[in-house]
Amino acid sequence: MSGSLTPDGRSQRVTVVHHPLVENSLVALRDVATGTDAFRRHARLLTLILAFHVLEDLPSRPIRVTTPLEETDGAIMDRSVIFVPVLRAGLAMLDAMSDFVPGSKVGFVGLERDEQTAIAHSYYQKLPAQLAEAETIILDPMLATGGSALATIELLKRNQATSIRLACVVTAPEGIRLLASHHPDVPIYTAVVDRALNERKFILPGLGDFGDRYFGTT
């Protein structure tokens, strides 16, 4: 796990999760021969491990609990969580993440990327009202140019979100730089930082179109 990257002199907290199971799943996700079922299985496993790091420093409060033998001290999470998957690929991470936080709320942001300009355009949004009091976690498997993440962060902040995190599977330096220049307060959690983008703005070496491979629409 790494602490922070400083692309172009700007500070951005990027946590890269290193784990043998993450490495195994990342290989499977990259492999062009991996079918839809296996892709989904490895995407879920990787997201489960990523969730431990995304959620590990949320505040907690002490509580007394009664075991079958006696009372003892414990702690429970003391902050509500709102997950915001970026449609449609972000849905692939939602179930695995939300399993760890019973009662969490979910918002949805629909963004479509213009293949010529790589600019993200919003076509749908539905957000809970409690953003100001919650930890808001954006789920977006691929951080490429950063346009979708940037648009989502700005939408959330306009709706009073005060604490935002971004959970990804694969990131590119270009996307990290964009967020560092606009929203350095938003930490990024990812399985890997890849080399660069190609001329079509796809991540290299990457894994192709995450949503198409997860939903079987290749």
Side-chain angles (χ1 to χ4, degrees):
M1 181 182 300
S2 62
S4 63
L5 298 181
T6 312
D8 293 352
R10 300 178 187 271
S11 178
Q12 182 81 22
R13 178 183 162 196
V14 180
T15 299
V16 181
V17 175
H18 296 292
H19 190 285
L21 294 178
V22 168
E23 300 296 332
N24 286 346
S25 289
L26 190 57
V27 167
L29 294 175
R30 291 195 193 277
D31 192 339
V32 68
T34 298
T36 301
D37 286 346
F39 192 93
R40 290 174 178 170
R41 184 170 64 255
H42 284 285
R44 177 176 176 80
L45 175 58
L46 191 153
T47 302
L48 286 169
I49 299 171
L50 192 65
F52 279 100
H53 300 276
V54 175
L55 302 168
E56 69 179 349
D57 62 347
L58 292 182
S60 62
R61 61 181 173 86
I63 191 173
R64 292 289 289 177
V65 60
T66 302
T67 79
L69 300 175
E70 62 182 19
E71 282 196 349
T72 189
D73 293 320
I76 59 173
M77 198 157 52
D78 195 31
R79 186 168 176 83
S80 59
V81 174
I82 296 175
F83 293 105
V84 181
V86 177
L87 302 178
R88 66 182 167 148
L91 292 173
M93 303 176 72
L94 178 59
D95 284 347
M97 282 276 182
S98 60
D99 278 352
F100 285 103
V101 192
S104 58
K105 298 184 183 301
V106 180
F108 297 94
V109 174
L111 297 168
E112 189 169 31
R113 188 176 83 159
D114 186 304
E115 293 299 331
Q116 300 301 317
T117 65
I119 296 173
H121 301 283
S122 174
Y123 64 86
Y124 180 78
Q125 55 185 265
K126 186 71 172 179
L127 300 172
Q130 303 85 359
L131 287 168
E133 298 81 31
E135 194 71 30
T136 305
I137 301 172
I138 300 170
L139 307 178
D140 195 2
M142 307 295 282
L143 179 65
T145 65
S148 295
L150 180 65
T152 304
I153 291 167
E154 293 180 347
L155 171 66
L156 292 172
K157 288 188 174 182
R158 288 198 300 272
N159 283 271
Q160 313 306 314
T162 57
S163 185
I164 302 171
R165 305 174 185 210
L166 173 61
C168 307
V169 174
V170 178
T171 59
E174 292 89 337
I176 294 172
R177 285 195 291 268
L178 183 70
L179 295 192
S181 66
H182 289 81
H183 299 285
D185 58 311
V186 176
I188 300 168
Y189 297 81
T190 185
V192 65
V193 178
D194 270 358
R195 185 174 77 253
L197 301 180
N198 67 9
E199 66 281 357
R200 296 179 57 206
K201 308 303 182 184
F202 280 89
I203 300 174
L204 297 175
L207 47 79
D209 187 300
F210 190 100
D212 280 345
R213 296 191 67 191
Y214 185 90
F215 292 105
T217 53
T218 51

